[in-house]
Amino acid sequence: MFLLFLTSGLFLGWSLGANDAANIFGSAVGSKMIKFSVAVFVASIFVILGSFIQGSGASNTLGELGSVNAIGGAFTVALCAGLTVFWMTKLQLPVSSSQGIIGAIIGWNFYSGNPTDMNVLGKIVGAWIAGPILGAVFAILIYLLLKYTLHKSKIHLLKLDAYLKYGLLVVGAFGAYSLGANNVANVVGVFIPSVPEIELNFGVFILDGKQLLFLIGGISIAAGIITYSKKVMMTVGNNLMKLSAESALVIVLAHSLVLFIFSSTTLSNLLQSVGLPAIPLVPVSSSQAVVGAIMGIGLLKGGRNIKFSILGKITLGWIATPILAGIITFVSLFFMSNVFKLVVVQDESLVVSQKINAIISSPKISASAASVNLYQPLLFTIIGLLLVLIVVLIVVLTRKTSKAKEEESTDILLKYESQEKLLQTELQKVTNENAKLEKEIEFKRKEQMGIAISIIQKNQFLEKLKAKIDKIILKPEVNTEELTQLKKLIIDNLSIDKEREKFNIFINELNTDFYLRLANRYPGLSENEQRLTALIRLNLSSKEIASILNISTKSVEVNRHRLRKKMHLKREENLTELINKL
Amino acid sequence: MIKIFKTSKDVIVNIDEYFDTIELGILNFKEGVNNYLDGNTADFENNLKIIDKLEEKADAIIRKIENDFYVYSLLPNYASEILNLLEKVDDIIDQTKNTLSQFDVESPFIPEEIKTDFSRLVNISVKTAENAIPAARVFFTDTNLVKDKIQKVVFYERETEKLANKIKRRTFKEMDQLKLSEKTHLRYFTLHIEEIADAAKVVAKMLSSLLIKIKM
C-alpha cells in the first residue's frame, strides 16, 4: 500500500530528473562536448549517490515545516506538487519542484490545522532568494579564476577543449550528486513520517526504511534522466545556455555548489562549530540557481545581454508556485478525504498512543522487524529491477551512439575515397577520349595531306605531259589532230578530278569547327576564301594550293592578298600564323 | 571520451605540421621566383617540384584534420570557423604553387630595370604570408598575441599593394621599348604575386573575426 502511494512522489522524481538534468549537462550535450550516453550514465549514478548519501539534510527541514503524518496525505501533497509543476511548465513559467512541494505542505498544514512554523518558512524563502544570488556570486568568482588561469597557462585550444570536456563531466557528476542530495527531499520528503519501519540486510550493510526511501527517490530521478532528459537537453538546455564551454563549466559548477551548500549537513555543522550561523538545509531550485549563474557571467561581461524580464519571471515563480500548489493541495485533500474516504491527516495524540500501545503489547515485534518483514522481498525485487533497467538502458544507449559514430566516420572516409576514385576515373576517361580524338584528328590530317600530295603529284605529271605534247605538236612530221585530242583529254582531267572533289569534301568535314570560328570572326568570307584558309592551315605553299585548286599560282597570290584585306591584316602580320591560331 | 587527449595531441601535431608545410611552401616560392629572375633554371624547376609536393602534403593533412574535427567533435563551438581558417591558409600555398607554375609555363619576360623591384615585391608579398602563419599558429595557444601579428600582415599587404602599383606604373608609363603584350604579361604576374598577400590578408581577417567570437 505504501509503495502504491509512493508513486506520486516517484512521478515527481521522474519529472525532476527529466527537466533538471538539462541544467547540468544541457549545454555540454547540446554543444556536443559530451556524448548523451556518457552524460546519462554519469548523471544517473551520481544523482542516486547524492540522494542516498546526503538527501536527509533538506528533508528534515521539510519535516519541520509540516510533518505529513498520513500516507494518503503525503500521496496527495506529492501529487498536487507534481501537477502544479507540470501545469506551470506547460504555461512556460519558470517553476521549481522545491517551491511546489513547500506550497503543497503549507496547503496540508492549513487543511489539517497544523501551525506553520514561520521561522522555518522564513529560512526556506530566504534560501530561495539566496540561491540565484549565490549562483551569480559563485559564477563570477569561478569565471574570473578560470580566465586568469587560462591566461597564465597559454594552453593549446585543442588541449583546453579536451580538459573542458573532462571538466564538464566531473563538474556534471558533482552537479548530479548535489541535485540528488538537495532535490530528493522534494520527491520523498513528505513520505518520511509515513515510512514503514523496515530494514534491508544486504550482508555488507543494512538499509533502514528512510535510507531505502532516498534510494528509491534517487532511482526515480535517474529514471527521468535516462528516459526523457534527451529531448529537454536538446531543446531547453540549448536555449537556456547557448554558451561557450568555459562558461558552461563555470555555470554548472556554480549551480552545483549552491545545491551542495543547501544540502550539506557537514558544511552546516562546520560553520556552526566556528561560531557562524548554520546553513538552512533547504531544497532550492536547480533552474533558478543556473539562471543566477548565467546572470552573474552576464554582469561580468557588461550586462548587455541580460534579460531582466527573467528576474521578474523568477519572482513570479517564487510567489505563484507555492500559492497555487497550496490551493490545489487544500482542495484535493478535501476531495480525497470526503469522496475517496482516504485518511489524509492523523490525529497527533492518536498516533502517539498507537505507537505506545504497539511497543507495550509486542516489544519483540518491532525489534525483529528486520527479519520478519513483508516489504523486504518486494523492495529487493523493485530495486533490483530498477537497477537492471538503468544498466540495460545505459548499455543500449552507449552502444547505439558509439556504433553510430563509428559508422559516421567510416561513411565519411568511404565517401571521400569513392569521390576521389570517381573523379580519377572521370579524369582518366576524359584523358583517354581526348587522346583518341587527337589520334583520329592526326590520322585524318595525314590522310588529307596524302590526298593533297597525290593530287599535286598527279597534276604536276599531267602538266609535264601537256608541255611535252605541246613540243611534239610543233614538229611538222607529227599528226597534230591526235595529239590535240590527247592534250584536251589531259586538260579535262586536270580540271575535273574526282580525287579533288573527295579532297574538298574531306576538307569541309574536317574543318567544320574551324569554318565556324572563321565565320564568327570574319563573317564576310566567301566559300572559296574559306577553302583557301583551310589549305593555308595545312601549311601548303601557294604553288601547291594552285595545283589542288587547278588555278595558277598567281591567282592563288591574288586570292591570298584579297583574303588579307578582308581579314584586315597589317603588313607585319603573318596570315599562316593567324589562321593556325584560330 | 577516453581517447580524447590522444586525439587532441594528434590533431595538434597535425596542425603544426600543416603550418610547417605551408611555411616551407612559401619559402620555396620565394626562392623559386628569385631563381627564375636570376636565370637558374635547374634550381627553379627543383623549387617547382618541391612546392608541388608540399601542396599535396598540405591537402592530405588538412583532410585528416577535418575528419578528426568532425568525428571527435573537437571544439564544437568553433569547428566550422577553424576549419574554414585552415582552408584559407591552404589557399596561400595553392596561390604560390599556381604562380610558380605560371612562371614555368608562360616564362614571362622581366626587364632588367624592374628585376630588383620585382624581387622586392616577391619578398614583401611572401613576408605578408609569412606573418599570417604565425598569427594562425598563435591563435591556438595565446589569443592575446594574435592582434600584433595581424597588424604586421595588414602592414605588409599594404606595402605589397604600393610596390605592385609602382611596378605597373613603371611598366606602362616608362618602358616604351616593351610591347603591349609584354607589358600586359608583366602586369598579370605582378597581380599574381600580389594575390599571395591578398590570400594572407583574408587569413588575417578571418582570425580577427574568430578572435571576437572566442573572446565573447
Side-chain angles (χ1 to χ4, degrees), chain A residues 259-328:
Chain A
L259 291 187
F260 185 78
I261 283 172
F262 284 112
S263 53
S264 173
T265 326
T266 323
L267 196 68
S268 179
N269 292 341
L270 197 76
L271 284 178
Q272 268 183 312
S273 68
V274 291
L276 290 166
I279 301 168
L281 302 179
V282 174
V284 286
S285 163
S286 151
S287 307
Q288 288 172 10
V290 164
V291 173
I294 292 175
M295 292 220 162
I297 289 182
L299 279 174
L300 198 66
K301 287 183 175 177
R304 275 165 301 185
N305 299 326
I306 297 179
K307 289 176 186 166
F308 287 97
S309 58
I310 293 177
L311 278 179
K313 277 191 174 182
I314 290 178
T315 321
L316 185 74
W318 284 335
I319 302 163
T321 318
I323 293 175
L324 209 67
I327 294 168
I328 294 174

Side-chain angles (χ1 to χ4, degrees), chain A residues 259-512:
Chain A
L259 291 187
F260 185 78
I261 283 172
F262 284 112
S263 53
S264 173
T265 326
T266 323
L267 196 68
S268 179
N269 292 341
L270 197 76
L271 284 178
Q272 268 183 312
S273 68
V274 291
L276 290 166
I279 301 168
L281 302 179
V282 174
V284 286
S285 163
S286 151
S287 307
Q288 288 172 10
V290 164
V291 173
I294 292 175
M295 292 220 162
I297 289 182
L299 279 174
L300 198 66
K301 287 183 175 177
R304 275 165 301 185
N305 299 326
I306 297 179
K307 289 176 186 166
F308 287 97
S309 58
I310 293 177
L311 278 179
K313 277 191 174 182
I314 290 178
T315 321
L316 185 74
W318 284 335
I319 302 163
T321 318
I323 293 175
L324 209 67
I327 294 168
I328 294 174
T329 310
F330 189 86
V331 175
S332 304
L333 285 170
F334 184 80
F335 191 72
M336 289 283 190
S337 171
N338 293 307
V339 178
F340 293 105
K341 302 289 176 202
L342 200 70
V343 181
V344 292
V345 183
Q346 270 191 357
D347 190 1
E348 277 298 317
S349 56
L350 195 72
V351 174
V352 174
S353 65
Q354 267 179 356
K355 276 189 180 173
I356 293 166
N357 283 339
I359 292 165
I360 293 166
S361 61
S362 55
K364 279 178 188 174
I365 292 172
S366 64
S368 60
S371 51
V372 203
N373 209 319
L374 286 172
Y375 283 105
Q376 190 155 327
L378 189 62
L379 273 174
F380 263 132
T381 322
I382 290 170
I383 292 168
L385 279 174
L386 281 171
L387 285 174
V388 168
L389 186 74
I390 288 170
V391 171
V392 168
L393 278 170
I394 289 167
V395 168
V396 169
L397 271 173
T398 319
R399 274 194 186 168
K400 246 187 185 177
T401 333
S402 63
K403 205 177 166 188
K405 192 138 263 191
E406 268 172 28
E407 275 174 8
E408 193 189 348
S409 169
T410 328
D411 278 356
I412 292 170
L413 286 175
L414 278 175
K415 207 173 137 191
Y416 270 146
E417 277 171 18
S418 60
Q419 270 180 350
E420 205 174 306
K421 271 183 192 167
L422 194 77
L423 285 172
Q424 268 178 354
T425 328
E426 272 178 18
L427 200 75
Q428 192 61 41
K429 204 177 153 191
V430 171
T431 320
N432 286 345
E433 269 179 16
N434 277 351
K436 204 177 155 190
L437 284 172
E438 264 175 26
K439 258 187 185 174
E440 223 169 85
I441 289 172
E442 192 53 34
F443 174 74
K444 290 231 171 185
R445 202 177 282 275
K446 274 184 184 167
E447 210 176 357
Q448 199 179 18
M449 281 301 284
I451 296 170
I453 288 164
S454 84
I455 292 172
I456 292 159
Q457 282 173 349
K458 191 179 149 197
N459 284 359
Q460 278 170 351
F461 170 72
L462 289 172
E463 285 291 346
K464 270 183 191 171
L465 211 62
K466 198 179 116 202
K468 276 197 174 173
I469 291 170
D470 280 341
K471 272 182 191 173
I472 295 168
I473 289 173
L474 289 174
K475 286 179 184 172
E477 68 275 17
V478 180
N479 183 359
T480 53
E481 202 179 317
E482 275 182 21
L483 282 171
T484 316
Q485 272 180 0
L486 193 64
K487 193 184 157 187
K488 204 182 165 206
L489 198 70
I490 289 167
I491 290 167
D492 285 350
N493 213 314
L494 270 170
S495 56
I496 309 160
D497 194 323
K498 276 182 188 168
E499 267 191 75
R500 193 179 292 127
E501 273 174 17
K502 190 179 161 191
F503 179 69
N504 279 342
I505 292 165
F506 234 134
I507 287 216
N508 287 342
E509 243 180 48
L510 262 180
N511 295 308
T512 328

